[in-house]
Amino acid sequence: EEEATKNGYSLVTCISNESLEKEKQSLNMLSDVSVDAIIISLTSETQETNEIEHLNDILHYDIPMVMFDRANTDVACDSVVINDFSGAFEAASYLFKTGCKNVGFLSTLSNTSVGNKRLAGYQAAVSKEEGAVPKVLYTKLATLEQDLGTFLDKNEIDALITTDESSAIYAMNTIRTKGLEVPNDVSVIGFTDGTLARNYFPSVTTVKQQAEIMGKKAIEIAIRNINAKEKQAPQQEVIETELVIRNSTRKL
């Protein structure tokens, strides 16, 4: 918002709550009021169904569109994403370096671009560790504690990577209900680096998604496209993550 205001633009924010239908309604509304540009992070439902007709409609109206975080390369627009693969790879590699042998992966983002890339990064790190085997749990926040409890009963885990911040908190609560300690028995790493990760006890080691940098870059690209005299070929800006070490993981 600061970057937009600095350049003389106001932001209109729409919340989709991961609903494809709400995403469509919001885009229709924004196109009807003739906004200068649209910046969008796709809903999980959009990515699961790979439905993109409503996104291409925006481009047909000649409204500049920039995707951030969750993007679809089948849509001919610019995008700003983080290096999800590298972020997960670094997280898993760090856990192995601290002495963890059985690193699990918990995803609430199945069938999304970010979830798939984080899973691939985790799997790549596991494949480089002698004797390590991927242990993956797909779940939803509503059933995470029950699903993870069963997962822990069936699998020997001494570390867990989750695909988002809320999942990390839920996971740590579940680990405690099993009579285990974080990080002495199970280390936990999440993604995002928001308020919860910083203020929870123990504070959560996190793959920082660089949201502020990503937001500023998306605004810059949108304004550049608004002012462009000719359309440019779509480009994807990839921003590197940062592993923020806190107290939910063992020390090196």
Side-chain angles (χ1 to χ4, degrees):
E1 184 175 3
E2 180 182 344
E3 190 70 17
T5 302
K6 186 172 69 176
N7 286 276
Y9 291 92
S10 299
L11 286 184
V12 177
T13 304
C14 301
I15 306 298
S16 65
N17 291 323
E18 302 291 7
S19 165
L20 171 59
E21 187 57 36
K22 286 187 177 180
E23 181 177 278
K24 290 180 178 180
Q25 292 172 359
S26 296
L27 289 176
N28 285 336
M29 181 271 292
L30 293 172
S31 62
D32 286 345
V33 298
S34 300
V35 294
D36 294 296
I38 291 174
I39 298 173
I40 182 171
S41 180
L42 301 179
T43 69
S44 58
E45 189 177 357
T46 303
Q47 294 211 305
E48 287 170 5
T49 60
N50 199 37
E51 187 168 337
I52 60 174
E53 183 178 355
H54 62 298
L55 301 169
N56 285 325
D57 285 343
I58 295 298
L59 300 180
H60 292 156
Y61 298 146
D62 287 330
I63 300 174
M65 182 166 63
V66 181
M67 295 184 183
F68 73 97
D69 192 27
R70 300 181 191 174
N72 188 320
T73 54
D74 291 332
V75 181
C77 70
D78 292 317
S79 58
V80 183
V81 299
I82 64 166
N83 194 336
D84 288 290
F85 179 97
S86 175
F89 182 91
E90 183 182 4
S93 298
Y94 176 81
L95 290 169
F96 286 124
K97 288 177 183 177
T98 64
C100 296
K101 301 296 183 184
N102 299 290
V103 179
F105 184 87
L106 184 154
S107 176
T108 55
L109 300 173
S110 60
N111 298 319
T112 66
S113 57
V114 295
N116 292 338
K117 289 175 183 176
R118 291 171 192 178
L119 173 61
Y122 158 78
Q123 290 173 325
V126 171
S127 70
K128 290 181 175 294
E129 191 70 17
E130 185 176 354
V133 177
K135 298 178 180 180
V136 180
L137 171 64
Y138 294 104
T139 185
K140 297 181 179 180
L141 277 180
T143 60
L144 187 153
E145 291 177 321
Q146 179 180 345
D147 293 342
L148 179 57
T150 302
F151 184 76
L152 292 172
D153 289 339
K154 295 181 178 180
N155 295 275
E156 184 180 349
I157 295 291
D158 57 10
L160 188 67
I161 298 171
T162 71
T163 52
D164 63 273
E165 185 166 279
S166 296
S167 295
I169 302 300
Y170 277 61
M172 290 165 68
N173 289 338
T174 304
I175 289 166
R176 287 197 189 96
T177 64
K178 291 292 183 180
L180 302 171
E181 293 184 2
V182 177
N184 294 338
D185 297 312
V186 183
S187 290
V188 176
I189 295 181
F191 269 76
T192 302
D193 195 37
T195 303
L196 281 175
R198 295 190 294 271
N199 296 323
Y200 196 72
F201 182 82
S203 56
V204 185
T205 295
T206 308
V207 179
K208 187 173 184 178
Q209 291 184 225
Q210 312 290 14
E212 184 174 344
I213 296 174
M214 190 160 43
K216 285 184 177 180
K217 180 59 67 173
I219 290 289
E220 288 175 9
I221 294 172
I223 294 173
R224 182 193 69 199
N225 290 343
I226 291 170
N227 296 326
K229 294 181 180 179
E230 296 182 359
K231 288 185 178 180
Q232 304 294 319
Q235 296 182 347
Q236 183 171 86
E237 183 94 18
V238 180
I239 297 170
E240 295 302 322
T241 59
E242 175 188 353
L243 184 61
V244 181
I245 307 300
R246 295 198 178 94
N247 296 321
S248 66
T249 50
R250 303 175 191 173
K251 305 303 180 185
L252 285 173

